[in-house]
Amino acid sequence: MDYEALLDLATELGYQLAMNGAETFRIEESIVRILKSYGARAEAFAIPNCLTVSIRTPDGNALTRMRRIGYHGNNLDGVEKLSNLSRRICLEKPEPALIERWLEETKKQRLEFSWTVRLLGSFLGAGGFSILFGGTWRDALCAGVCGLFMGAIDTILDRFHANPFFRTILEAFLMAVPAYAMGAYGLADNSDAVVIGALMLLVPGLLFTNAMRDIIFGDTNSGTNRIVQVFLIAAAIALGTGAAWNLAETLWGTPLAALAGGYPYFFQAAACFIACAGFSILFNIHGMGTLLCCLGGVLSWSVYFFALRLGSADLTAYFLASVFAAAYSEIMARIRKFPAISYLVVSIFPLIPGASVYYTMNYIVRQETENVYGQGLYTVAVAGIIAVAILMVSTIARWGSLKKT
């Protein structure tokens, strides 16, 4: 066996997983399982920007490879296909030349939506969440237009590999100013609903979910790194929308902030489905997975909706819904033999407190100190509850898998 070539290919597969947005544990386990299936003692260490792989061959030679993980997007279709390839390699144990051919074929088979379809995803995601957060149909259309605008800006900045922190500030600002202008000129009924709906496109849902799953599997360095990135992006969103609020207040007066709300269940469920469909496109999920992810989002939000109607406290409803989203994702992953992250990131998205993040920023801009503390603590509490629910369900699922093996 040519262990030099095998190590190169296993490292390349792990690198491709990382560049497509896979969790740290998936990257490391895929590499180690492939190398161990060929009789090598293997170690893999991955963090968000670096991958190191070492093996000791049966004849005692020690070999090491390291790859720098640079700027990348989120392609969950790629994660699914590469994960399936790693399982196939472990089962069939082909020669390195055949592995190389399979890897090249897999990279070519990854499906990616065109930029026009991704813009549609931005429109649907922003518009759907605008209604879910209490906006009118006019607000949803305005939010969709802002989503289109932000998606176009993101496509342009993507080509320049712009710094995520500063691009988020810029995108939040350039999205919020038109939203407030639409409210000022009567095109939108409520500027807040427009901004919040479009703002969900910037919320780092996959980053947050991967951070939680990294921590579950003991990858504390990666998990902490990702959590810091989440806080930085949240701060960037606050800075961008805060600057836009100040500019809008100077130009047109205080933006309108009277949410409609009170929509019937089925109306809200339809809006949730539309929003989740948009985010499935943005996360590059294809085929039956798209429908299942959207269904997971609607069902998770429904658990929250009916828990409130049955008298549960708000935070309790968030916990129950998050537990359902995590459990649904683990079940779908085992039924379909696909990574759970694809289902989890969309299923959990309707529960992410995007509106609470926005209002916390809003109170900071208005210098309403008491409201800042109250809204800020509520935002942290909701995020913490979602994290605990994901940790609990994923830990139980992981324990069950280890027990079987």
Side-chain angles (χ1 to χ4, degrees):
M1 173 58 61
D2 185 352
Y3 283 100
E4 291 269 4
L6 181 64
L7 177 58
D8 287 336
L9 291 167
T11 304
E12 176 64 19
L13 190 145
Y15 171 77
Q16 290 297 327
L17 279 169
M19 293 297 288
N20 282 273
E23 314 96 302
T24 300
F25 82 90
R26 187 175 308 282
I27 298 166
E28 294 177 344
E29 285 189 0
S30 297
I31 294 170
V32 170
R33 285 179 178 176
I34 289 172
L35 294 171
K36 282 187 175 180
S37 69
Y38 285 87
R41 292 168 52 194
E43 295 286 346
F45 176 72
I47 55 177
N49 61 354
C50 185
L51 171 64
T52 303
V53 185
S54 297
I55 63 169
R56 187 171 291 279
T57 63
D59 57 6
N61 290 329
L63 305 171
T64 300
R65 297 290 185 272
M66 185 173 71
R67 292 291 300 271
R68 167 84 177 172
I69 301 170
Y71 178 88
H72 60 86
N74 302 311
N75 186 336
L76 295 184
D77 183 72
V79 174
E80 290 183 354
K81 284 183 167 61
L82 289 164
S83 295
N84 289 337
L85 174 60
S86 69
R87 285 192 287 270
R88 183 183 180 187
I89 293 170
C90 292
L91 286 172
E92 299 185 23
K93 302 181 184 63
E95 290 296 316
L98 186 54
I99 296 176
E100 184 175 12
R101 194 181 80 190
W102 286 353
L103 184 55
E104 290 303 315
E105 289 173 352
T106 301
K107 287 193 283 187
K108 292 176 182 177
Q109 290 169 359
R110 287 178 297 185
L111 301 174
E112 291 192 32
F113 290 111
S114 65
W115 69 272
T116 51
V117 176
R118 291 183 63 82
L119 287 180
L120 174 63
S122 297
F123 181 87
L124 295 175
F129 274 118
S130 180
I131 290 178
L132 205 60
F133 287 122
T136 64
W137 274 108
R138 291 209 305 168
D139 296 333
L141 289 173
C142 290
V145 171
C146 289
L148 286 174
F149 183 54
M150 192 159 58
I153 295 171
D154 190 67
T155 301
I156 295 170
L157 294 177
D158 219 28
R159 295 175 181 175
F160 296 99
H161 295 176
N163 179 280
F165 181 75
F166 293 107
R167 74 186 287 172
T168 303
I169 294 175
L170 181 62
E171 289 174 3
F173 177 79
L174 293 178
M175 170 276 299
V177 170
Y180 291 134
M182 290 174 184
Y185 291 107
L187 298 176
D189 297 311
N190 173 35
S191 298
D192 281 1
V194 177
V195 175
I196 293 168
L199 198 65
M200 291 297 287
L201 300 177
L202 295 176
V203 172
L206 182 59
L207 195 61
F208 175 76
T209 306
N210 277 347
M212 292 301 99
R213 290 173 67 79
D214 283 349
I215 291 170
I216 294 164
F217 295 106
D219 298 311
T220 310
N221 288 334
S222 292
T224 303
N225 185 302
R226 294 185 200 274
I227 285 292
V228 170
Q229 291 181 59
V230 168
F231 282 118
L232 285 174
I233 291 174
I237 292 172
L239 288 171
T241 51
W245 172 277
N246 282 327
L247 178 61
E249 191 172 33
T250 301
L251 295 175
W252 306 298
T254 302
L256 300 174
L259 293 175
Y263 295 119
Y265 165 74
F266 289 106
F267 190 84
Q268 295 187 48
C272 184
F273 187 91
I274 291 170
C276 290
F279 276 90
S280 294
I281 292 173
L282 295 178
F283 289 122
N284 208 45
I285 300 170
H286 294 257
M288 181 59 70
T290 300
L291 179 60
L292 293 174
C293 288
C294 294
L295 179 62
V298 173
L299 292 176
S300 300
W301 173 84
S302 298
V303 171
Y304 171 77
F305 180 91
F306 287 113
L308 288 179
R309 295 302 181 276
L310 293 173
S312 293
D314 190 48
L315 295 180
T316 303
Y318 269 114
F319 177 75
L320 293 173
S322 300
V323 167
F324 176 87
Y328 175 86
S329 304
E330 295 292 344
I331 291 169
M332 286 297 106
R334 280 153 181 75
I335 291 175
R336 302 196 71 223
K337 305 300 181 184
F338 286 157
I341 188 65
S342 299
Y343 306 100
L344 181 59
V345 69
V346 177
S347 297
I348 209 76
F349 228 97
L351 305 177
I352 291 176
S356 189
V357 171
Y358 170 75
Y359 284 119
T360 301
M361 172 281 304
N362 205 282
Y363 292 136
I364 292 173
V365 173
R366 297 182 186 184
Q367 298 182 348
E368 298 179 14
T369 309
E370 292 184 6
N371 290 330
V372 170
Y373 289 135
Q375 195 70 53
L377 288 174
Y378 175 78
T379 304
V380 172
V382 172
I385 283 172
I386 293 174
V388 168
I390 294 173
L391 286 168
M392 185 182 75
V393 174
S394 297
T395 301
I396 293 171
R398 176 73 167 175
W399 178 75
S401 298
L402 292 175
K403 193 174 181 181
K404 287 181 182 179
T405 57

